[in-house]
Amino acid sequence: MKLRLLEELEDTWLPYLTPKDDEFYQQWQLKYPKLILREAASVPELLHKEVQQAFLTLHKHGCLFRDLVRIQGKDLLTPVSRILIGNPGCTYKYLNTRLFTVPWPVKGSDAKYNEAEIAAACQTFLKLNSYLQVETIQALEELAAKEKANIDAVPVCIGPDFPRVGMGSSFDGHDEIDMKNRAAYNVTLLNFMDPQKMPYLKEEPYFGMGKMAVSWHHDENLVDRSAVAVYSYSCEGPEEESEDDPQLEGRDPDIWHVGFKISWDIETPGLAIPLHQGDCYFMLDDLNATHQHCVLAGLPPRFSSTHRVAECSTGTLEYILQRCQVALQNVREEADNGEISLKSLESVVLKQGEEIHNEVEFEWLRQFWFQGSRYKKCTDWWCQPMSQLEEMWRKMEWLTSAVLREVRREGVPMEQKNEMLTSILASITTRQNLRREWHARAAMLGRREDTRRSCISAPCYLPEARSLP
C-alpha cells in the first residue's frame, strides 16, 4: 500500500498545514476533530516539575533502551529509547517486541525498586496517569456533548481559560462507564531521543515534513476505540517558533512536531502540530484507527510519556500462568529424573499443550531474556515470575518427550501413533523454526543470549518426530 501510494505521488509532495497557514485550525476542526491539544499552560506547574524531573531521573539511571523490533521481516533498532511503566504484570507488544512493565506503585503492589529515585519517578508517572485520565474523560465528554448537540467539532487548542463543556443531563450511566473504560490507562510507554546523536533519521516520505523520530503508524495492541494521551517534554529552555520567514516553508525543523494524516488519503492535507515543553495531546475514540501519526524531530532532546489502554487479554502474567496450568493438567506424575507420564493422549489435549508450550517460550521467556538485564536497572519484580514460567516450560519439554516416547512404544496402534504425531507436528515445526530465528537475531546483533537459561539452548524434536512411524 505504501509503495503504491509513493508511486502515485511520483515526485510531488502531498499538502500539509502548520499553525502559520490560515486554514490550519479550520482543517483541524473539520477533518481531525478527535485530536485534542492541551497547551502546557493548562497543566499544573507542580505536575510539570515532577514529571520532567522523573524523566531526567530515569535517563540518569540508564533505564531507557532502544528496542529491537521486526518490520517486514527485518530486525531494526528503534532510534527512540523506551521503557514501559504500568500495572504490575502487564505487558505491551508492538512490532513483534513484547515490553514488560516496570510496575508503578498501585494499591496492593509489592514492587521493590533498586533506587529510591526510581521509585519516586514511577510514582510520578502514576500521578500523571491519573491526571491524564481525568483530562481524557473531560475531552470525551466535550466531544460527545458537541456531537449530541449537533454542532461544530470540539475546539482543538484548549488553553487554561477555555470554558469547559460538561456532560449535562443528556448522558446516562452507560456513557459515563464507557468513557472511563476508554481512558483507563494501564501502561505508559516513555520515549527519549536526542536527534544530535542520531547520525541518520528517515525523511518523511509523503509531505516533505522533514526528519522523523517515529515513522507513520497506528498505535498497536490497544483496546478498541480507547484513547491515547501524550505528555511531551523537550529538554532545553522555553522554545520559540521561528518568526515568519519567507525562506522557511512548512514546519520549523528546530521544533518537535507531531504529524497527522488520514490513512491512505491523498486529498486531505496533513497536519504538523508544534509540541512545546509540557504540551499534551489526546487521540480520542477511533482516531488511532482512522488516522496515522508520526513524530517529527526537532533540535533538542525530547521525552514523551504515552499513556495507553493496552489490550491485555493475552498479555498479563496472570494470563500466561493460567495457560501454563492448563498445559500441565495433562501431567499424571513426575519421576525424580524429570520424566513425566501423561493423563491423556487425545489429539485435542496434546495439540493444546504444544501450542501453550510455544506461547510461553516465544511470547514470554525468549522475549524477556533476549532483552537482557534491562529490567533489573529498575526492579527485580519480574525475576521470580520468569523463573516460575521457566520451570513450567521445562515440564512442558518433558511433556513433549513423553508424547514422543508414547509414539515409539510397542503395541500402540499405528492409527493412534499417526493421530498423536499429527496433533503435535505443526507446533514442533513452528518451535524449531522460531528457535533458529531467535538464534539468528542474537547473532546478528552480536548479542549472546543468556546461556544460563535452559530454554535458550533447548533441543529441536522435529527430525526425531519426522523419522517416527
Side-chain angles (χ1 to χ4, degrees), residues 68 75 370 436-449 456:
L68 184 72
D75 288 314
F370 186 76
R436 287 172 176 163
E437 185 179 296
W438 277 93
H439 282 298
R441 294 181 81 188
M444 183 198 74
L445 288 182
R447 182 182 293 179
R448 291 179 58 194
E449 293 181 288
I456 299 304

Side-chain angles (χ1 to χ4, degrees), residues 74-110:
K74 295 182 179 179
D75 288 314
L76 302 169
L77 275 172
T78 59
V80 176
S81 299
R82 296 187 164 109
I83 185 174
L84 185 71
I85 301 177
N87 289 351
C90 263
T91 68
Y92 178 73
K93 190 175 182 185
Y94 79 106
L95 298 178
N96 298 298
T97 294
R98 184 178 299 279
L99 301 180
F100 299 77
T101 55
V102 173
W104 48 30
V106 293
K107 185 176 181 181
S109 170
D110 59 350

Side-chain angles (χ1 to χ4, degrees), residues 41 118 163 179 282:
I118 294 175
M179 288 181 183
F282 302 79

Side-chain angles (χ1 to χ4, degrees), residues 34 92 136-137 140 143 177-187 218-229 282-290 293 307-312:
K34 296 175 182 178
Y92 178 73
T136 302
I137 292 169
L140 286 167
L143 181 65
I177 293 170
D178 185 51
M179 288 181 183
K180 287 182 178 178
N181 289 337
R182 291 192 195 188
Y185 303 127
N186 50 13
V187 298
H218 307 276
D219 286 347
E220 296 183 64
N221 196 29
L222 304 181
V223 169
D224 187 42
R225 301 178 85 94
S226 62
V228 177
F282 302 79
M283 296 186 286
L284 304 181
D285 194 44
D286 62 350
L287 181 76
N288 181 59
T290 59
H293 60 284
H307 298 248
R308 304 149 190 246
V309 189
E311 205 295 294
C312 281

Side-chain angles (χ1 to χ4, degrees), residues 45 47 55 62 77 79 90 137 140 148 153-154 156 176 198 203 237 248 290 305 308 364 371 434 436 438 444:
E45 188 59 38
L47 185 59
F55 279 132
L77 275 172
C90 263
I137 292 169
L140 286 167
K148 289 204 173 187
V154 299
V156 293
E176 187 175 350
M198 286 290 131
E203 293 285 338
L248 184 64
T290 59
S305 181
R308 304 149 190 246
W364 291 81
Q371 295 174 47
L434 286 175
R436 287 172 176 163
W438 277 93
M444 183 198 74

